[in-house]
């Protein structure tokens, strides 16, 4: 089952199939590595951003995303950094919305910290975005400031309300961190469900500063057991094309997602790839290898060479990450920060 199949790399059109028979239908596209927050698990306090001259233009981002759509990608998530601090993001979202209208794309969505949503929520909804993930690790203003270093909780809460008001379906992403917010998980879930939002918990991953985060890891299986003492958690098969497993909470009627990159590997069904704002295609979140699509785009005006480069990159997609194995040796995984890859 695990043996890679090295099929002939086809050029131009054609589905993206990796060596392990996984069809790639989901692109996470980072539109900037910049952000108006500095979450401690995501970026270094003295983060050095990608020089602006190396960041893809909005037109290049559109060209790249559209090439993936032509190759069978059905879902695009815009991410960052904070996607809504990218100047012209409204233009890009509007532009990509044409693939929703044509039926070539099933879903255009975004992961955001929420702070800019009062300004942009209506435009996102107008472009065809129906669902959005908003990250929120604590509802305590001081703790929120501590984890985000510079953030104001109230600006995120306003952003959440703005998204809900324009009819966006919101899912809250909460990174579970031992000794920091584990006591807030149940309260966050009830609050989210009362507002009609789902909640997804994420195990903290060792990026950037790496092993520093390992002592703060909470295995989400333990969290699930503890929540199970107070709530009735019913397994449901729902998958959104992402790595989360979902349970339905009978008492609240809402969904709880669990993303367990550290305690449980979810790579078998992986249908995703990531492209950074400088055009680097990372075949796997947990590996350093990448393919430079910006160079290909700038060398060739037509899209055939770009599509061929994408095909070749997919043909080299690794089977999975090794977070769990590395964890047991106490070594960090990936030197780059999450903010530079796009979560
Ligand atoms: N700025 C946006 C936001 O915060 O939602 C989008 C980019 S952020 C990198 C995407 C997601 O990655 C967020 O939900 C964030 O909490 C998560 N994330 C960042 N660093 C992480 C880490 N080391 N381990 C687990 N999740 C992380
Ligand atoms: Fe910014 Fe999102 Fe990273 Fe926080 S998690 S620093 S909001 S990119």
């Amino acid at each position: 089952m695990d043996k890679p199949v090295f099929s002939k790399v086809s050029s131009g059109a054609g589905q993206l199939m990796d060596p392990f028979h996984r069809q790639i239908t989901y692109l996470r596209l980072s539109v900037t590595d910049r952000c108006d927050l500095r979450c401690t698990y995501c970026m270094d306090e003295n983060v050095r951003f990608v020089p602006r001259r190396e960041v893809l233009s909005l037109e290049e981002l559109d060209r790249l995303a559209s090439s993936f759509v032509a190759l069978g990608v059905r879902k695009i998530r815009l991410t960052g950094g904070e996607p809504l601090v990218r100047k012209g993001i409204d233009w890009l979202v509007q532009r990509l919305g044409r693939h929703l209208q044509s039926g070539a794309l099933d879903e255009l969505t975004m992961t955001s910290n929420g702070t800019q949503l009062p300004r942009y929520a209506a435009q996102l909804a107008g472009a065809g975005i129906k669902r959005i993930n908003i990250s929120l690790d604590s509802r305590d203003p001081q703790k929120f400031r501590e984890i985000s270093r510079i953030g104001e909780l109230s600006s995120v809460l306003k952003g959440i309300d703005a998204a809900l008001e324009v009819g966006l379906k919101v899912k809250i992403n909460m990174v579970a961190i031992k000794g920091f917010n584990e006591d807030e998980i149940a309260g966050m879930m009830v609050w989210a469900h009362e507002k009609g939002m789902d909640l997804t918990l994420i195990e903290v991953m060792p990026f950037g500063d790496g092993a520093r985060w390992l002592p703060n890891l909470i295995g989400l299986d333990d969290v699930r057991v503890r929540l199970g003492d107070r709530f009735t958690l019913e397994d449901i098969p729902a998958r959104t094309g992402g790595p989360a497993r979902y349970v339905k909470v009978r008492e609240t009627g809402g969904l709880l997602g669990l993303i367990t990159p550290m305690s449980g590997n979810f790579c078998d069904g992986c249908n995703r790839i990531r492209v950074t704002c400088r055009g680097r295609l990372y075949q796997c979140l947990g590996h350093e290898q990448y393919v430079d699509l910006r160079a290909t785009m700038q060398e060739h005006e037509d899209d055939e060479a770009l599509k061929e480069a994408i095909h070749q990159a997919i043909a080299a997609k690794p089977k999975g990450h090794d977070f769990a194995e590395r964890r047991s040796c106490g070594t960090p995984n990936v030197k780059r920060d999450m903010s530079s890859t796009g979560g």
Side-chain angles (χ1 to χ4, degrees):
M1 278 297 275
D2 292 347
K3 281 207 186 113
V5 179
F6 293 103
S7 55
K8 185 176 178 296
V9 174
S10 62
S11 63
Q15 306 293 299
L16 295 173
M17 191 69 78
D18 85 356
F20 302 95
H21 299 288
R22 296 172 298 193
Q23 194 181 341
I24 306 306
T25 55
Y26 182 3
L27 167 67
R28 293 192 175 201
L29 180 60
S30 172
V31 299
T32 179
D33 65 331
R34 288 172 165 74
C35 188
D36 53 353
L37 302 183
R38 294 284 183 277
C39 301
T40 53
Y41 50 71
C42 178
M43 56 172 81
D44 195 88
E45 191 164 14
N46 303 310
V47 56
R48 293 228 311 261
F49 294 116
V50 173
R52 284 189 198 275
R53 64 178 181 283
E54 289 180 28
V55 174
L56 295 181
S57 68
L58 293 168
E59 290 76 11
E60 284 172 325
L61 286 166
D62 177 39
R63 180 180 166 199
L64 196 53
S66 300
S67 295
F68 277 99
V69 173
L71 291 171
V73 160
R74 305 288 312 176
K75 173 172 174 176
I76 296 177
R77 177 176 298 281
L78 300 177
T79 181
E82 172 48 40
L84 294 178
V85 303
R86 175 74 199 252
K87 256 198 201 125
I89 185 69
D90 42 349
W91 177 86
L92 182 64
V93 170
Q94 197 68 43
R95 183 95 187 119
L96 294 177
R98 75 189 186 283
H99 297 304
L100 293 170
Q101 282 164 10
S102 74
L105 199 59
D106 294 330
E107 183 168 23
L108 178 62
T109 185
M110 182 177 281
T111 302
S112 168
N113 65 27
T115 60
Q116 306 300 316
L117 278 168
R119 177 172 171 199
Y120 285 117
Q123 293 176 62
L124 301 187
I129 289 186
K130 299 216 164 357
R131 302 190 298 167
I132 184 166
N133 290 358
I134 302 178
S135 303
L136 179 62
D137 302 322
S138 175
R139 289 194 305 130
D140 174 316
Q142 276 174 356
K143 279 185 166 183
F144 182 79
R145 168 58 66 93
E146 191 187 322
I147 198 74
S148 65
R149 291 201 184 98
I150 54 175
E152 291 284 348
L153 175 66
S154 59
S155 66
V156 179
L157 297 180
K158 280 182 201 150
I160 291 171
D161 286 340
L164 292 171
E165 269 161 33
V166 298
L168 291 172
K169 178 96 180 108
V170 175
K171 188 165 65 128
I172 299 294
N173 277 352
M174 177 183 192
V175 177
I177 304 168
K178 188 182 278 182
F180 174 70
N181 62 3
E182 45 187 330
D183 56 336
E184 286 193 66
I185 292 175
M188 182 78 89
M189 183 180 82
V190 171
W191 170 79
H193 289 179
E194 277 173 2
K195 287 173 83 73
M197 307 184 292
D198 296 329
L199 172 69
T200 294
L201 301 173
I202 307 174
E203 288 176 347
V204 68
M205 290 178 269
F207 283 92
D209 279 353
R212 182 162 80 92
W213 284 104
L214 292 175
N216 298 79
L217 177 70
I218 314 175
L220 293 182
D221 286 341
D222 294 343
V223 171
R224 186 186 162 147
V225 169
R226 269 181 269 146
L227 285 174
D229 292 340
R230 286 179 56 191
F231 301 93
T232 317
L233 307 178
E234 298 165 346
D235 280 310
I236 52 163
R239 292 200 80 124
T240 55
R245 285 177 287 126
Y246 285 94
V247 291
K248 181 155 190 156
V249 184
R250 196 188 295 163
E251 289 77 4
T252 62
L255 294 188
L256 174 69
L258 304 166
I259 300 187
T260 56
M262 302 301 291
S263 65
N265 189 307
F266 47 61
C267 300
D268 282 353
C270 183
N271 61 353
R272 307 174 279 292
I273 34 103
R274 292 177 161 77
V275 177
T276 69
C277 64
R278 48 160 56 140
R280 293 181 174 180
L281 186 160
Y282 282 92
Q283 294 105 326
C284 175
L285 186 61
H287 286 258
E288 300 281 9
Q289 75 187 48
Y290 67 86
V291 173
D292 183 2
L293 297 178
R294 178 172 172 260
T296 309
M297 268 199 292
Q298 295 187 341
E299 276 162 28
H300 302 270
E301 270 183 24
D302 74 279
D303 290 340
E304 290 315 302
L306 175 59
K307 289 178 184 165
E308 182 64 29
I310 294 171
H311 267 295
Q312 290 194 4
I314 302 303
K317 183 170 161 68
K319 182 162 178 280
H321 65 68
D322 58 356
F323 289 148
E325 291 84 4
R326 295 286 191 92
R327 179 185 158 201
S328 57
C329 328
T331 54
N333 272 85
V334 174
K335 290 194 195 73
R336 62 186 191 275
D337 283 335
M338 187 67 142
S339 58
S340 64
T341 315

